[in-house]
Amino acid sequence: MSAPRPAEPYDAFRALAARRGRPAERLTESLAGARAETADGPEAWAPPVGIQVGLPAAAALGPASYFADFASPHGRRHVRVCTATACFAAEAGRHLADVEAALGVAAGDVTPDGERSLQAVRCLGYCYAGPAALDGDAPRTGPALATQLAGREHLRAPEIPAAPAVARLHLSRPPDRPALPRRVGARRARRRRRPLSGARRSGI
């Protein structure tokens, strides 16, 4: 007789979503849309979003206040600037203050007219070209990051690094060099041909 399987833990949120047509699938998109329309905190706009998609207010307020991209105030122009290790090291951390001065807004804040907002984030994936920022969805990188965002410098999107073809040639074995297994096999054959010492021939 097989042992009874343990019951799966009851997930009230998933059960509620299943009963109401899985509205959780629309929640993230709805939260993002609401966030883009206001600079207020999540407690002002997230609960109505949950109710609109058929979920309790807390089901929307939870992720809206937990995820930094929802919790941070957004202006009509929202800039995310990386403050993680590689970007910090690129300019010794000075780039954040330079970007704040260029945009006229502090990180985590929005201008009084709601025009610009700035968010400090941990990584944008452009570590090789830092410091980096996202101006809306457009990446900006390089030492002149602040002046790019201020419109005083040519905009620079990062190039994707790729190894040149000549670098790949060094990874292949030259045709005149024997392969490793052949060299190892020859070494083992030489060991087998060595004469045994007197002690080994007598079995001592």
Side-chain angles (χ1 to χ4, degrees), residues 79-84 87-88 90-108 118-121 131-133 142-147 149-150 152:
V79 176
R80 301 170 180 86
V81 60
C82 178
T83 58
C87 288
F88 181 91
E91 294 292 320
R94 294 186 297 268
H95 69 290
L96 178 58
D98 292 343
V99 169
E100 289 177 328
L103 296 179
V105 60
L118 181 62
Q119 178 186 356
V121 298
L145 179 64
T147 51
L149 294 172
R152 300 193 302 269

